[in-house]
Each structure stands twice: as C-alpha cells, then as structure tokens.
Amino acid sequence: MHNEPYSLPIGELGSSGIGWKMRTMPEDSLRYCPASAGDWGIIRVGLLVPESAMLFVSPSGCGRHGAIAGILNGFMENLFFLCISESEIVNGQHLDKIPEAAREIFREGGDQIKSLLICATCIDTLLASDYESLAEDLSDETGIPVKICHMNPITMDGKAPPPFTVQQAVYGFLTPISKKSEAVNIIGSYGGVMKESEFHWLMRKSGMGEVKHVTTCRTFEEYLEMAGSTLNLLIRPGGRLAAAEMEKNLRIPCHSMPHSYGIETVTSLYKELESVLGMQLPIDNFRESALEAVNAVIRQHGRLRIAVGQSINGGSFEVARALTEFGFEVPYVFADMVIDADRKHVVWLKEHAPNLLVYTNAHTSMVDFQEIGLEADLAIGFDAAYYCSGTKSVPLDMGIQPFGFQSTEYLMSEIEKALEDKSCLKGKMYASGLVI
Amino acid sequence: MKGLLKILPPFAPDYSGICSVLFELDGLVVIQDAGGCTGNFTCYDEPRWFGSSSAVFSSELREMDAILGDDDKFINRVREAALKLNRKFIAIIGSPAPMVIGTDYKAVAGIIARKTELPTLYFDANGIETYEIGISMANLAIANNLLIPNLDGERSGVNILGATPLDFGNGRILKDLKDLLEVNGCRINSTWGMGSGLEEVSGSLSASLNIVVSWSGLAAARLMEQEHGIPYVVGLPAGESQSTAFISRVLGKKSVTPASGYANDKSILILGEQVQANSMREALHFDSDYSNIKVASFFAMDEDFMQDGDVRLESESDLRRLVRDNSFEVVFGDPLYRRFFNKIERLYYLSIPHVAVSSRLFWKHDFSLIDGNWIEKLKRSEYLNPGLLVEEPIYEDLKETGLHDLS
C-alpha cells in the first residue's frame, strides 16, 4: 500500500497556518533524504577563503560526506579531520587535542596555510564548548588567524542556522583596513559573478569599480583587501549575517539585490540599485538581449512544462515565477521552506499559476515518489529531476554565479543545453558532490 | 596524532552499517539526528538508495528538543510515519547528538512499540564507531528478534551473514559466491543485508550452515551456533584453488591444500576487511605460494583469524609506521590508501575499492575475487621480471574509467 505524496496547491501556502519562514510540510513528519537533496555543505563553503585550511572536529561519521565531496570537488588537500572518541567528548578532552592537531597542520602545511577555520558540530553546540577562546589562544600562539564555524544542523530552525553562520566565518577573517578601493563585494553566493554578466560593465561604467568575491581572490592577502570595498551586495540569503557583521565591523554598507532570473524582477532590482547609487544605469540593451534569449527558446521549443526544485542556485519560487512570466508552464515546485525572500513571488504565483503544486523533498510520503509519476519536459535542479523521473535536468550549479539580465540568458542557454544532454541524472548528480 | 586524518576521509559510521543491513527488510528505519547523519548514509554509504523506496528517515532532531528532552515529538513523528507507510517493523538508531544527551532508546522504543503495535528495534549507535560495528549490531538484533523458530526441525541450505554494499559494493563478489554454491548443489536460504527480504531472513533457522563473509557476520553466527546449533564457516572463494578448498569446507568435505607452483617471498600487504583479506591471503598461498603476506585493517579484526604480523590500525600514523617498518612490494587495498605508498619506488598496487572507505567514488567498480584474474595479473606483471616496473593495473583502469563517472 502506498500513499499519495504530500503536496499543497500554491494557493494554500500561507493560508493554512504556514508562515513565511516555515516548513512547507507538517511538523509531525519524519524527514526524507532523497538522493538528490543537498547543498554545497558547510565544509566546502568554509574553505572558500584562499590559502585557508579547515580542521573539522567531530565524531568520525559527521565529516564523512564533506570529505568525499572534498575528494570529488578538489578541496580535500586543506581539509583535516580530528575524529574524537566518546570518552573524550564526555570528559571534554577533545578540546585539549585541537591545539596539537592545529600545530601539526601548520607545521606540515608551512607557509601555504594563511588561516585556519575550526569546524565544530552538533555535539559541541549541546555541550556549549568554548571554541572561541581556543581559537584566540591558537591565533596568539601561532600568529595565524584562526576562526570558528559550525556544522550543527541541530540549530537549523534557529535564528543563526549553519549555512548563514559559516558565511559569517568566511568573512570573519576580514579586519578594518585604511586602504579603501572602489569595489563592490558580492556576498552570499558561492561563486563570483560570471564574467559574461553585464554587471561588471555597469559597475565600471558607474564608477563603482571592480566586482569582488571571495573566490576571485587568488591569495589570502588579496581576500583581506575586500575589507576596503565601498559596498557589499547581498545576492543570496545565506550571506545575510555576514553582511550585517561586515556593516558593523568594517563599516561597509550593504544593499540587498537577490540573484534572480526573471526579467521584470531584475529590472526592478536594478531600479532599486540606481536609488542606492544615486545614478541611472544603462540597462535597456541588456534587458532587450535577455528578452530575445527567452523568445528564441520559446520559438524553438514552445511552452515547455518545467518543474522547479530547491537544490539550485536561486530561489525556487523566483525561478518558477520567472519561467511562468516567460510563458512556460510550471506544474510543480519542490521546496521544503518558504522564506521571506520568496513571499512576493509566492503571492504572484498564487494569482498567475493557481494550479501549481508545491511538493517537499522531505515529507515522509516522498519515499513512495516513484508511485507519483510526475511528468515534465524539463526539471530545474537535480531534486526536481529525481522526482520527475526521466526528465532532462538543468542543475543551476551553486558555484556558477550568473547575475543581472545575464541570469536570464544563462538560464535559457542551460535549458537549451539540457534538452540536448544525453548524460544520466545519477552520474551528474553524484559528481556534483552535494551534501545534506 | 591519533584521530587526526590528513589523507583519508572518515570511514562509514556505525549507523550506516545498521541501516545497510536493514535496507531491504521493509522496515521503518529512523535515525535520531538532525539530518546530516541520515544524509551520510543515504547519499554516501548506500549504493542502493538512488531510486529506492526503502523507508529510511531522519527524525530531524533540533536543539530545543534535545535540551528539553522532548522525545514526544520524535515518537509522534515515528507513529505518524508508521500509520502511513505500512512497514513490517520499526528501527530507531542513535547518532552523536542523542548520545550527548543520553537518550534512553530502550524506553523510547518501548513506547513506540506500544503505540504502533509493531516490533521496534533500537540501536545505541553514536557515529563514533565504524560501520562494521553497526552491521554486527544489526545482525545480532536480527538473530535475537526477527528469526522464526524452525518448528519441523528439518535443516538444509545456507545463510550468508555479513554482506552489505559497504563491504561488497556492487555485489559481484557475492554473486560469484552464490553461483559457486548453487553449482555445487548448495541452496541459499538467505543473504542478510544484501539480497534477501524479511521473510527469507526470518526463516534463517531452517538452514544447516551459516557462511560468514565479513567480520560483521561473526557475532550473529556464533550466537546462532550457540543457541540454535547452526555451525558456520568463515571465508569467501578467491581464485581457483582456494575456491575449491572453500567449497569443500562448506560441503563438509575434507579440504586438500593444493600444491603451489613456485615459491615467492615478495612482501605483500592486504589492507581491508578481515575476512575478505584472509581469503585473498589464502588464495595467494594456494595459487602462487606467496608466503610473506600481512593483513592490516582500520576495522575490527577477530583474534581467532589473525596471523602473526597482522595489524589492527587505529590511525593514519599506524599505517605510516607499518609502511615505514616494512618493505612492501605488493599492496592490495582501496584506492584512497594509495597515497601512503607514494614513496615506494617499486610497488605493485592493486586497487580494490571498499565502499566503507571511498564511499561512492568507486562503488560501481566490478571486482571478482573468485576468478583469480587478480592473482594472474600479479603473477604476470612485469614487476616480477627484474628491471621492469608495471604498477597497479586496476588503479589505472579506475583512472581511465574516470573518478567522476559515478553512476
């Protein structure tokens, strides 16, 4: 006997006691972890700082997926694991081992390691272990900056969940500098803005200068110069706490300009940015180019039915809205949470796509997903492709960061590529190294 | 430094081993964790997960539930799932966070069993122990709780104990074993952990013999011998001569040690699961008369099956020491161990992926123990001709197929 998987019509989101920062599934559900679920994970994000190393302190099981993803994606070289025993945890002795492990890492890494992140896990959250003073002592002793981050999904529902706090840690090495530069920092994303994006040209044209991101800094020294930028642009929600902290500590003002794929949304975001900068940006040609890219795909492939997942670089509801605006049909969105940034898009979708069904990746009933027989012409995100069996997929890799109107063109080109792609979902998905 | 991993990934944890054994038994399996532990198992330790409808879930433990000791939320979630999913039993499995708060699994399992009227197993796993401990725990739980008495007393056929993808990857080695047993008229009643559903596994007491294919099956086999009088043999068929000897043991015939072709004192190290490694050692003795062979493992080893010089490794530094203190010329092991031997100039390294070590990096790789090609490759290798060096053919094969071709 199998059950119909849990779903909600888009119209019921927010009208059945479900708020704007809440799960899309009932509280009494166990969590299903489909093969397609995941994100970059704390370890990979933490290691974005150039010439940095990470010491992951935990029971051995906690670090396994991060390590394997590290081998797959090439960030295992500067990643070290301190596996701790039950007695060490009970006695708090695991904290005593950390300095010795750090010294060994510094000794062997030589001057190639310019900073160290120590990552603690759920158990240390519950034990309230004092990692901060440990990091300070280590920094003082070795002269190498040491910061703390946490892979503690046990706090996922709190005000500072790990995907947010790890970005705080990533930018936590920055200290105030006197040398200011005309530059804009991109905060929140895992990749720097693609060179094809018009945003680089627009920022140069407007006098804002270079567009920086932690991944475009080749050295730790270069990364430290981000502290001298004049503006932080928050483009993905995960960077919110980091940007707030940089505003407070480094006095870099922050403007939110969420990475979006919809032409109307991008247009209005540019208008908001114009207000902040106090100048007009010459965006019309880029907007036209994006519109043409959409029309070309529609002319070629018609009104495709496209399912949208959440394991993507973007907001599921924003992407669903963008596709609907473009003239495609979006039958399903797979999303476990609705957050503030989704609100206006959900409201729009209620009016313009009332038949849209919202599934979750995580509801207990999704274990029987094969029984659903969901169909689409294309899926955005591995999770949507997994549930719409046999559907071609557009991964929207979290490490590749389109921006502005170029996001629309990028999405269209990825759709074209996916429709021609003959590789299997399983291989692509596992190679991406997503972790839960 | 003990506990510090600078090259290797952390190995598959105990909860992965437990889930792996229960995977095909149509139970409702719940890890009491925040989500990451379950993701470890489903996405990194379980090759069968993609496209499966096996009911393995996370309880989604949160900080406040842990601090307040709110087990009711967990219990209600399990009860709701049990009502919806119609599975045959429930298993609740621990992880690091509930270990810290001292969750009383026995009491929780008791409440769940009463509320759902389903048999409920519990496992005090902690994510600190490695996978084989978990497999062993799960096999013991099956032996203690899920076996149906053999009322008519008739016994025939064999059970295979200790098999999971964590040791056997895509199952080629097991398939070879089953083929060999069937060709020799030996009926297979059940394969615990890999290939049999609950009905077959629970009927295991009708078998006349248990075949233990990994360390993880030993405890359950010993229990079944003690309590039900079912004897067991330990090992896997590997290469021609050893396979003949192995099947003789299974059939209760006198085993004849074959004469070797020639003597060879190359220093050989087999790094891996103990039972599989021992079977390889035996095959190398029988088919090629290699005699200087050590077995080493990062995982549990049974003293009864260790030989002089065998080593239970507890840290990377143990392995470094072993490599430093010996002049190994031939090594069998997971590809991820390869870096420990980089400084040895003349080495034949044959990669045998071990899912509990390298996870999904190589888990579709096909390796046959029984066909003996691995022995022939070693014998034929140019390394054995002085002046020429050929290294690790299978490792090269893996590189050619591509580390990123993971389907």
Side-chain angles (χ1 to χ4, degrees):
Chain A
M1 185 186 79
H2 293 288
N3 291 276
E4 188 67 19
Y6 176 84
S7 66
L8 276 174
I10 185 79
E12 288 183 24
L13 269 188
S15 59
S16 56
I18 292 173
W20 294 106
K21 275 186 174 176
M22 293 187 68
R23 303 151 46 112
T24 50
M25 65 179 191
E27 273 295 312
D28 63 3
S29 172
L30 291 172
R31 185 172 194 85
Y32 180 57
C33 298
S36 54
D39 194 342
W40 262 32
I42 301 307
I43 294 176
R44 191 172 177 185
V45 176
L47 281 167
L48 288 178
V49 181
E51 299 181 289
S52 69
M54 178 182 282
L55 175 62
F56 192 92
V57 184
S58 73
S60 68
C62 306
R64 180 158 171 79
H65 46 10
I68 298 297
I71 295 169
L72 271 169
N73 292 297
F75 58 85
M76 186 64 179
E77 280 303 308
N78 283 343
L79 177 55
F80 306 89
F81 294 89
L82 182 59
C83 301
I84 54 184
S85 70
E86 187 169 1
S87 63
E88 286 167 346
I89 294 166
V90 171
N91 298 326
Q93 288 171 330
H94 64 296
L95 299 178
D96 300 337
K97 291 178 76 177
I98 293 171
E100 188 189 341
R103 285 184 209 111
E104 191 168 329
I105 291 165
F106 292 146
R107 200 166 51 242
E108 293 188 10
D111 60 4
Q112 290 183 4
I113 296 176
K114 302 284 171 45
S115 64
L116 178 71
L117 261 183
I118 299 174
C119 188
T121 61
C122 297
I123 58 159
D124 280 308
T125 302
L126 293 171
L127 293 168
S129 304
D130 181 8
Y131 273 74
E132 295 297 336
S133 60
L134 195 148
E136 270 178 39
D137 291 348
L138 256 176
S139 287
D140 292 345
E141 177 193 322
T142 62
I144 296 171
V146 179
K147 295 282 175 191
I148 303 303
C149 69
H150 298 269
M151 191 186 88
N152 50 353
I154 201 163
T155 65
M156 196 61 93
D157 294 344
K159 288 181 178 170
F164 288 67
T165 55
V166 71
Q167 296 214 33
Q168 263 182 304
V170 162
Y171 296 100
F173 291 108
L174 296 177
T175 51
I177 55 173
S178 51
K179 185 186 160 197
K180 298 292 172 192
S181 54
E182 283 180 349
V184 178
N185 294 332
I186 298 295
I187 307 293
S189 63
Y190 302 156
V193 172
M194 292 171 74
K195 64 178 179 3
E196 292 84 356
S197 169
E198 77 278 1
F199 191 71
H200 291 285
W201 184 84
L202 288 170
M203 288 300 98
R204 277 198 305 275
K205 182 87 176 165
S206 63
M208 291 301 293
E210 191 186 348
V211 178
K212 290 185 173 180
H213 184 261
V214 63
T215 58
T216 58
C217 302
R218 284 159 299 177
T219 63
F220 187 68
E221 204 174 337
E222 214 173 288
Y223 153 85
L224 291 176
E225 289 173 9
M226 289 179 77
S229 295
T230 48
L231 179 68
N232 278 341
L233 209 60
L234 177 63
I235 71 165
R236 296 284 296 133
R240 181 168 49 81
L241 298 180
E245 199 160 270
M246 289 162 80
E247 190 153 21
K248 186 176 148 203
N249 297 339
L250 307 174
R251 308 216 172 275
I252 303 176
C254 175
H255 175 66
S256 178
M257 186 172 174
H259 162 48
S260 307
Y261 294 91
I263 293 172
E264 297 314 317
T265 305
V266 172
T267 304
S268 68
L269 288 168
Y270 268 127
K271 293 292 166 204
E272 288 174 21
L273 184 62
E274 284 176 345
S275 308
V276 172
L277 301 179
M279 66 180 81
Q280 269 205 321
L281 296 169
I283 60 172
D284 293 348
N285 289 345
F286 302 111
R287 182 186 154 90
E288 284 307 309
S289 177
L291 275 169
E292 180 44 39
V294 171
N295 290 335
V297 173
I298 297 270
R299 276 197 303 274
Q300 177 75 20
H301 302 287
R303 198 166 177 262
L304 297 166
R305 276 167 58 85
I306 305 177
V308 180
Q310 68 175 8
S311 292
I312 58 173
N313 184 7
S316 314
F317 293 101
E318 192 282 323
V319 174
R321 172 182 175 172
L323 292 168
T324 308
E325 284 177 340
F326 297 159
F328 298 109
E329 183 191 349
V330 180
Y332 326 111
V333 165
F334 298 86
D336 300 340
M337 298 280 285
V338 180
I339 61 170
D340 278 340
D342 297 322
R343 180 171 188 146
K344 62 183 175 190
H345 305 302
V346 171
V347 169
W348 189 93
L349 286 165
K350 283 183 181 189
E351 189 181 338
H352 296 90
N355 296 324
L356 192 159
L357 283 176
V358 180
Y359 286 90
T360 83
N361 279 288
H363 190 267
T364 312
S365 59
M366 294 308 279
V367 71
D368 290 329
F369 74 94
Q370 285 171 319
E371 309 292 317
I372 325 173
L374 293 178
E375 290 179 356
D377 298 318
L378 194 72
I380 309 289
F382 290 135
D383 49 348
Y386 187 65
Y387 289 126
C388 300
S389 186
T391 308
K392 305 264 188 187
S393 63
V394 176
L396 290 187
D397 188 322
M398 294 169 209
I400 299 173
Q401 189 56 61
F403 198 63
F405 293 113
Q406 181 250 345
S407 296
T408 311
E409 293 186 53
Y410 175 76
L411 177 59
M412 292 302 113
S413 74
E414 290 297 294
I415 286 174
E416 294 270 25
K417 259 200 281 182
L419 291 169
E420 299 297 319
D421 188 13
K422 291 189 169 55
S423 59
C424 79
L425 173 69
K426 190 175 177 183
K428 283 198 296 185
M429 209 178 74
Y430 279 165
S432 70
L434 297 180
V435 299
I436 293 179
Chain B
M1 180 184 179
K2 193 177 172 187
L4 182 62
L5 296 176
K6 293 186 283 189
I7 292 177
L8 295 171
F11 303 128
D14 49 6
Y15 52 73
S16 285
I18 296 164
C19 292
S20 193
V21 173
L22 303 178
F23 194 79
E24 296 180 19
L25 299 186
D26 206 17
L28 171 60
V29 177
V30 187
I31 301 179
Q32 168 71 319
D33 76 324
C37 303
T38 307
N40 244 338
F41 168 68
T42 56
C43 299
Y44 284 82
D45 284 336
E46 183 46 82
R48 297 168 292 189
W49 184 247
F50 188 99
S52 152
S53 59
S54 183
V56 181
F57 298 100
S58 163
S59 67
E60 211 174 25
L61 180 70
R62 291 293 174 258
E63 189 176 14
M64 207 45 76
D65 307 330
I67 290 169
L68 299 175
D70 183 2
D71 292 328
D72 288 345
K73 191 186 278 183
F74 173 51
I75 291 165
N76 286 337
R77 285 178 177 175
V78 175
R79 191 176 63 88
E80 281 299 311
L83 284 171
K84 287 190 178 92
L85 296 180
N86 192 29
R87 295 310 204 254
K88 292 172 181 160
F89 67 95
I90 295 169
I92 58 171
I93 300 168
S95 73
M99 172 196 72
V100 168
I101 57 170
T103 298
D104 183 350
Y105 295 109
K106 188 178 178 183
V108 169
I111 296 168
I112 289 172
R114 276 198 301 281
K115 290 198 171 193
T116 61
E117 297 180 352
L118 284 172
T120 302
L121 309 175
Y122 65 93
F123 299 93
D124 195 355
N126 56 23
I128 293 169
E129 303 292 347
T130 40
Y131 79 103
E132 80 284 7
I133 306 295
I135 297 176
S136 184
M137 286 164 77
N139 283 335
L140 276 172
I142 290 172
N144 280 319
N145 299 288
L146 299 179
L147 300 186
I148 299 166
N150 179 28
L151 295 176
D152 62 11
E154 291 289 313
R155 280 188 175 155
S156 65
V158 300
N159 303 311
I160 297 171
L161 306 188
T164 71
L166 287 159
D167 284 320
F168 292 90
N170 71 1
R172 170 69 189 272
I173 292 173
L174 273 184
K175 183 183 177 303
D176 290 344
L177 166 65
K178 290 178 179 181
D179 290 347
L180 179 73
L181 291 169
E182 281 167 6
V183 162
N184 285 278
C186 203
R187 185 167 54 80
I188 299 155
N189 291 15
S190 68
T191 307
W192 294 21
M194 204 170 172
S196 292
L198 183 60
E199 199 175 338
E200 285 179 16
V201 169
S202 58
S204 292
L205 293 180
S206 65
S208 58
L209 182 73
N210 284 327
I211 298 176
V212 176
V213 295
S214 73
W215 176 91
S216 318
L218 271 172
R222 284 172 175 151
L223 181 84
M224 288 168 77
E225 182 177 56
Q226 202 175 353
E227 297 199 351
H228 305 288
I230 302 177
Y232 65 91
V233 297
V234 179
L236 284 159
E240 191 179 341
S241 306
Q242 190 271 0
S243 295
T244 306
F246 171 80
I247 201 70
S248 297
R249 288 210 313 267
V250 169
L251 298 173
K253 295 178 183 170
K254 194 179 175 192
S255 165
V256 179
T257 304
S260 61
Y262 60 96
N264 194 311
D265 65 351
K266 297 288 177 216
S267 178
I268 298 177
L269 175 66
I270 306 173
L271 260 172
E273 195 287 317
Q274 187 185 24
V275 171
Q276 187 172 324
N278 277 349
S279 301
M280 291 175 70
R281 169 159 57 192
E282 213 172 25
L284 288 164
H285 278 315
F286 286 2
D287 280 340
S288 301
D289 203 22
Y290 290 99
S291 53
N292 183 12
I293 306 170
K294 283 185 169 64
V295 166
S297 182
F298 281 100
F299 306 108
M301 298 173 81
D302 191 283
E303 284 190 6
D304 289 352
F305 299 97
M306 289 176 84
Q307 294 185 7
D308 286 348
D310 287 358
V311 185
R312 169 72 205 276
L313 304 165
E314 292 189 352
S315 64
E316 284 189 356
S317 40
D318 283 352
L319 180 53
R320 272 191 212 95
R321 203 170 303 116
L322 183 71
V323 175
R324 192 191 61 209
D325 296 346
N326 292 271
S327 302
F328 294 118
E329 294 159 283
V330 177
V331 177
F332 300 93
D334 186 273
L336 296 188
Y337 296 137
R338 178 67 182 85
R339 282 181 63 186
F340 289 89
F341 301 89
N342 277 348
K343 287 183 181 165
I344 302 177
E345 285 183 9
R346 295 169 57 83
L347 177 77
Y348 182 97
Y349 193 101
L350 192 134
S351 289
I352 305 171
H354 188 183
V355 175
V357 177
S358 54
S359 175
R360 66 194 194 196
L361 296 175
F362 312 103
W363 69 23
K364 72 172 185 179
H365 181 68
D366 209 33
F367 178 72
S368 173
L369 262 185
I370 199 170
D371 70 8
N373 281 344
W374 56 281
I375 304 173
E376 289 307 311
K377 276 188 176 179
L378 174 60
K379 282 159 68 175
R380 280 201 310 268
S381 77
E382 293 174 72
Y383 175 75
L384 297 177
N385 298 319
L388 294 171
L389 174 66
V390 171
E391 193 184 342
E392 48 167 330
I394 289 185
Y395 187 67
E396 291 304 317
D397 289 349
L398 283 176
K399 281 199 279 191
E400 279 166 22
T401 57
L403 295 183
H404 296 274
D405 178 15
L406 300 166
S407 58

